[in-house]
Amino acid sequence: MFDTAPRLSHGAVAVRGIRMRDARALEAELVGNRSWLEPWEATLPGSRPSGRFDTRSSIRSLLDGERDGSGLAFAIEVDGRFAGQLNVASITGGALASSTIGYWVAERFAGRGATTTAVALVADHLLGAGGLHRVEVCIRPENVASLRVVEKLGFRYEGCRRRYIHIDGDWRDHLCFALVREELAEPLLSRWLGGRVQPFDRSVYPVDVGGDPRGRAGA
């Protein structure tokens, strides 16, 4: 369905396919943003964080996913500088035609709309030229800034997945959001920038959000 991650941009923000040459920049951001990112990173049950990162192996695995058609791996850039990652996983064609998006940016790029722009660019591509019907994002209730990304873009809340993914040492609940192609009368990026997204009502959530003050890994 997809070959490689395309380069997409708006203003100072761009997304493009991650490459092996990004390994050093990626490691620098992962190490330099430990307290910022660690609460939201997937962990293996029974394991302890080592503080070490094999970024070349990680990128190689992501590129393998591109080759077999199950994923797309993007680097997020702000003003030409490596700022974070956006990964598209579980790409499925046929009768499902769906995918899942995950993302992060370094702390110094937060609050500038970079993540929101990147998610909008990629979601528009997936639901447009990519030919998918559905895009999903799952977020911990404590991760307020990442929730703001999907709320600002008008993703529809679908429900809470209890103890869904092992993150930061335990099984964590995630709130699930999605969009399908028929819900977009115009591109997601245009709708957001034009102020045509309906205000989000957080009363639909079954839990209070923002329980962890470190919840700032999106923007």
Side-chain angles (χ1 to χ4, degrees):
M1 182 176 294
F2 296 97
D3 293 324
T4 58
R7 187 181 192 281
L8 309 165
S9 64
H10 175 79
V13 179
V15 293
R16 46 102 180 147
I18 200 165
R19 296 293 178 260
M20 294 303 299
R21 64 177 178 268
D22 294 312
R24 183 174 296 180
L26 173 58
E27 182 175 4
E29 296 301 342
L30 292 175
V31 172
N33 287 270
R34 277 296 72 216
S35 62
W36 176 258
L37 298 174
E38 193 170 23
W40 323 118
E41 293 177 342
T43 49
L44 294 176
S47 67
R48 294 183 178 180
S50 66
R52 301 174 62 183
F53 303 96
D54 186 353
T55 53
R56 292 184 63 84
S57 178
S58 175
I59 292 173
R60 191 175 296 114
S61 178
L62 291 170
L63 295 178
D64 285 343
E66 284 196 356
R67 282 188 284 271
D68 67 24
S70 63
L72 290 174
F74 292 89
I76 301 174
E77 294 182 334
V78 177
D79 292 324
R81 294 178 292 167
F82 188 97
Q85 284 183 274
L86 188 154
N87 295 324
V88 183
S90 303
I91 295 177
T92 307
L96 188 57
S98 180
S99 66
T100 299
I101 290 178
Y103 48 83
W104 64 267
V105 294
E107 184 173 8
R108 68 184 183 281
F109 295 104
R112 299 170 56 179
T115 314
T116 307
T117 301
V119 172
L121 286 167
V122 173
D124 281 337
H125 172 70
L126 296 173
L127 295 171
L132 294 184
H133 179 252
R134 183 177 185 275
V135 173
E136 176 181 289
V137 182
C138 293
I139 304 169
R140 284 185 59 185
E142 298 86 355
N143 198 340
V144 175
S146 283
L147 289 173
R148 283 289 297 139
V149 170
V150 293
E151 292 170 354
K152 287 190 291 184
L153 291 176
F155 274 73
R156 172 176 33 80
Y157 172 66
E158 289 195 327
C160 181
R161 296 183 179 178
R162 299 292 184 183
R163 299 180 65 78
Y164 178 50
I165 302 175
H166 199 274
I167 288 179
D168 194 25
D170 202 358
W171 295 100
R172 309 291 183 177
D173 293 349
H174 280 67
L175 303 180
C176 182
F177 302 81
L179 280 174
V180 296
R181 191 183 306 165
E182 292 86 350
E183 292 176 291
L184 295 179
E186 62 179 319
L188 201 58
L189 184 62
S190 298
R191 186 176 72 172
W192 170 53
L193 293 175
R196 291 181 290 278
V197 178
Q198 294 297 314
F200 195 91
D201 180 8
R202 285 190 173 180
S203 69
V204 300
Y205 295 153
V207 294
D208 291 334
V209 303
D212 187 332
R214 296 178 295 174
R216 303 183 297 268

